[in-house]
C-alpha cells in the first residue's frame, strides 16, 4: 500500500526531481509515472521501486533480472533499492509524525503510484 498522505514527501522530492529533469516532467511523474514521457528503462526502474515499496516481501530474483535486461548493473540495482528503502523510511516517519509543509511551500498534486 502506498500512503495517500505523502504531500510533504512528494512536494520535497518533486522539487529536487524538477531541478534535474524539469518541472513539467517531474509533475507528470508525481501524478503517474506510467504515463509520463520516460524511457522504457526509467519506467522499469520506477516499477521496481514502486513494487518494492508496495509489496517488498513479494520481490524475487525475477525483479532483479528484469532490471538487468534493461541494462542496469548490480551496483545500479543495489543503489535503486537502497535509495527507495531510505525514502520509504523517511516518508513513513514524516507521515506518522504529521510533518507539515513549511510556510510558503506549495503542495504538489500526486497520484497513487502502484505497480
Amino acid at each position: 500500500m502506498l500512503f495517500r498522505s505523502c504531500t510533504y514527501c512528494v512536494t520535497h522530492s518533486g522539487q529536487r526531481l524538477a531541478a534535474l529533469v524539469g518541472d513539467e516532467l517531474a509533475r507528470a511523474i508525481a501524478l503517474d509515472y506510467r504515463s509520463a514521457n520516460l524511457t522504457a528503462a526509467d519506467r522499469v526502474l520506477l516499477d521496481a521501486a514502486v513494487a518494492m515499496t508496495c509489496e517488498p516481501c513479494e520481490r524475487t530474483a525475477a525483479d532483479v533480472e528484469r532490471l538487468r535486461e534493461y541494462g542496469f548493473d548490480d551496483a545500479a540495482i543495489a543503489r535503486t533499492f537502497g535509495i527507495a528503502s531510505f525514502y520509504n523510511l523517511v516518508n513513513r516517519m514524516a507521515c506518522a509524525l504529521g510533518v507539515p509543509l513549511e510556510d510558503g511551500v506549495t503542495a504538489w498534486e500526486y497520484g497513487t503510484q502502484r505497480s
Side-chain angles (χ1 to χ4, degrees):
M1 172 173 116
L2 207 59
F3 295 99
R4 288 291 301 155
S5 60
C6 288
T7 301
Y8 180 89
C9 310
V10 172
T11 299
H12 284 280
S13 297
Q15 290 171 342
R16 288 177 180 84
L17 183 60
L20 295 171
V21 303
D23 191 66
E24 184 177 337
L25 180 56
R27 288 181 186 276
I29 292 168
L31 286 173
D32 186 351
Y33 75 92
R34 295 162 299 188
S35 61
N37 186 22
L38 297 172
T39 66
D42 287 342
R43 189 165 288 112
V44 166
L45 193 66
L46 290 174
D47 284 344
V50 169
M52 191 207 67
T53 298
C54 296
E55 302 165 338
C57 294
E58 295 173 20
R59 307 294 31 102
T60 67
D63 296 292
V64 173
E65 207 45 54
R66 180 156 170 78
L67 290 167
R68 287 185 184 133
E69 290 170 7
Y70 279 84
F72 296 102
D73 63 16
D74 289 348
I77 294 166
R79 277 192 309 274
T80 296
F81 288 121
I83 291 167
S85 296
F86 174 75
Y87 275 90
N88 281 321
L89 169 69
V90 173
N91 291 348
R92 282 166 173 76
M93 289 180 67
C95 289
L97 295 172
V99 178
L101 287 174
E102 294 83 353
D103 290 339
V105 175
T106 303
W108 278 42
E109 286 185 57
Y110 59 95
T112 301
Q113 308 287 332
R114 297 212 49 126
S115 56

